[in-house]
Amino acid sequence: MSALLETRSLARNFGAVTAAADIDVTINAGEIVGVIGSNGAGKTTFINMVTGYLAPSSGEILFKGKSIVGKNPRQVMRAGICRSFQVAQLFPELTVLDNVLIAYGIMKHKILPLMSPLATKANIQQAEQLLEEYGITSYMAETVVTLPQGVRKLLDIALAMLRKPEILLLDEPTSGVAIDDKFDLMDTVMRAVRKSGAAVLFVEHDMEVIARYSTRLIAFYDGRVLADGAVSDVMNDEKVKELVTGHHLDIDYEQEVQHA
Amino acid sequence: MKYATTMIIGAGIALLAAGLFMPGWLTFLLTLAFAKGLVVMGLLLLMRAGLVSFGQGLYYCLGAYCVGIAGDYFETQNALLLILLAVVVCVALAAVIGLLLCRYRDIFFAMFSMAFSMILYGVLVKSSAFGSSDGFNVKPPLLFGWTPTGESGPFLAYGLAVVALVGVGIFVWRYLRSPMGYAGEAVRENEIRVEYLGASVRRIIYTKYLLAAAMAGLGGGITALAAGHIDPEMAYWTTSGEFVFIALMGGVGHAAGPVIGAVLFELLRTYAFQISPYTWQMILGISLLVIILYLPKGVWSLVERVTKGKPL
Amino acid sequence: MKLVIAMLMDGVIYASWLFVIAAGLTLIYGVMRILNMAHGSFYAIGAYGGASLVGFYLAGGYPPWGAYFMLLGAALIGGTIVGLLIERGLLRMMYGRDEVVMILVTYAILLILEDVIKLIWGVDAYFAYQPYTLLGRTKLAGLSFANYDILLIFVSALICFVLWWGLNRTRKGKLLQAVIHDRDTAAFLGINVTRMFTVTFVIGAVLGALAGALTAPGISVMPGIGVEVIILAFAVVVIGGLGSVGGALLGALIVGLARSAAVHLYPDAELFVIYGVMGLVLAFRPQGLFAIATARKI
């Protein structure tokens, strides 16, 4: 197995606050890696650093053997690493169709055209196909602000998958989604992932979701990797039980320190 | 798309034909209104991306001064050449200022763009070579060797304004439907998503800023030719405030909004001034409040409600 | 040497004038997130009110020192009435709108007030020079300064101290600071934010009017003075950092000294220098020198 993504002693601090201390993570092609960890363990910070939203204070990020430290989100994404967000990042006042059309418009053109129309029949058809794949065609004409959480999350992930990434980083894909819908959502996402062959790293608080979908599990604690390995091994790890899974009642409130 | 282009060209021809029969004062009023409409169309591009420039007067004034100064210096009255020059100079300046401005948002963008236009104002007020705060007169324009006199005097600038309006109107109409046009909405709605889709927010804003500057320069140049006189007041912040006023009044949802807003504004101002010279500003202010409170999407939204059958 | 002293003195005098205007503007922005263009009108109302009240007073043959109280009274009465009317009558309907929309709302108010001023006071200039000349002049290193201007420096310093003390040493001031930092949490904790808004707006309006009233004796009061003043005040608060009273002080000093240097060395560059400095500061510190930090989460 070849390492697709590899981070070495990745660290980030905000003033006196350490958000990530020393993160060594390796992701191989085809893996579905679950990530658990309590508040402020460094999960979102890790994703932000890998995708170029935050510069690491120190450490190295290798993608297919090449360093991607210092690249911005656009470059990282073009290289093949895409992400979703804890709170879906969409265009709230626009319709679902417009959201997808804009995404296609930006994806297809390195320099955006000024005069040729975006909402052509071909583009709309393509957008419909994408929405169908994620089972949200019926919401096409609706404004994003009116959508249920689950649909927003799916749309957010669909936009991330648009560029056919080699690695998909999902930041709490099921947070805010009703318990009954969590598995449906994950099934839909995993179907799309399997089709494209991308490796996945997903942050999740629900152990059932972790157990059902991940092939490997990493536990974060205090900005470090506490345990990394087969799902059952990590879940039964004494330290993980004591420090991570023992108190994850505050699951939905995770908000890590962000730089303005 | 073809249909809309034909409609805009048709409207332009109708305006030109009507211009032949209009009284001089109306031709003049409409010329100035159309020139302002051009500036506001540029502002519309920015406003749709969530950026309100309180400094479009910078390019409006610069364009006008380019026409005035170049006309004197090169001893030419060729209208097309002068206006082209105005646009080029405005875009060149915007290319520099834009690099700085595209880092700012919200009130910072508004105030910072205002500061730049006030710098031009400050420079012009102290430039005795250009008449200081009194400004100077611009020679009447020539077009292909033809200079209109007497009754048809204001018609040349009017014709230029209509042609420019048609051209810019078609451009803006198509632009709003293009990927770049949509990207403007996207920037307003969520910059993080735009970056993560792979487009540079700064580059999008920069492009819009350049286009807006070009349109403002065009409007300023035509104003100089039509009015025959220019002064630094064109760069004063209240002029820029007027443009934002017009944009709000007409609405930024459609390319026609700025034109309707500009014509309404000029009519309102002219009549308000005639009816009560001491309270015309008050009438403008009250209209602005009424629009903000009851017609937040401008007068054009009334038209859309009627044509699309939306409830009032 | 003489030039340096003249530059410094003029700069500080100008700065103290700017500070009084800018303090009201920045206070209103800090608490209410409204960049108030009508602040220029408050200034004009203070100036007109002060000038005409002083005129009436002196025409009645009362002792001339009372004229200073007339100036203060004009600012208090004018600022309070206009501030209350605008905040309670109009702005209240607009809260929650976008900051840029609020600029336009206050722009509309400015347009309206400009004409209200003309309706009340007409278009002729008003003079109320007596309080200015009454105090005489002081010679300093061969230069002559009006004592009234020097007094202005002390008045401005006093206002600065009162604001600082009010914000940092009183219970109400601390509550106000809570609102400045996080309006929602402050409301959640039971602070009456609506009342805070009214009080702040009135204080800001009175400060604007006070600046006008204090300036009135030194200038001829005519239409348009408010429109000119507001953009200077903007430059000051943007340099200092919107919403920060300390920033307004620093911004006023920077702008005051820069302008006075320009006036003495190269008068043509007067306006240019003010905005040049503003551009320079913003290029390096986009949020101004003392900005209130805001966090963004994804």
Side-chain angles (χ1 to χ4, degrees), chain A residues 1-5 26-34 63-64 80 165-168 190 193-202 213-216:
Chain A
M1 264 201 295
S2 64
L4 208 49
L5 181 76
T26 305
I27 299 173
N28 301 307
E31 276 190 311
I32 312 285
V33 183
F63 178 58
K64 295 196 279 193
E166 290 178 66
I167 297 184
L168 180 67
M190 286 307 161
V193 165
R194 238 171 275 127
K195 217 171 102 188
S196 80
V200 176
L201 176 141
F202 73 110
Y213 298 99
S214 47
T215 57
R216 205 178 107 205

Side-chain angles (χ1 to χ4, degrees), chain A residues 10-37:
Chain A
L10 207 54
R12 168 78 202 202
N13 48 289
F14 300 104
V17 182
T18 305
D22 181 18
I23 302 179
D24 293 287
V25 165
T26 305
I27 299 173
N28 301 307
E31 276 190 311
I32 312 285
V33 183
V35 171
I36 53 172

Side-chain angles (χ1 to χ4, degrees), chain B residues 248-309:
Chain B
L248 222 68
M249 189 151 145
V252 293
H254 192 279
V259 186
I260 291 175
V263 174
L264 274 179
F265 179 83
E266 283 296 312
L267 286 174
L268 182 66
R269 195 168 71 157
T270 310
Y271 280 104
F273 193 75
Q274 274 171 9
I275 294 165
S276 72
Y278 289 115
T279 55
W280 66 276
Q281 288 197 86
M282 190 190 285
I283 297 174
L284 288 183
I286 291 169
S287 329
L288 182 55
L289 284 180
V290 168
I291 288 168
I292 292 173
L293 273 175
Y294 300 107
L295 266 183
K297 291 191 171 166
V299 175
W300 181 257
S301 63
L302 284 179
V303 181
E304 276 187 341
R305 279 179 197 166
V306 174
T307 53
K308 291 189 183 165

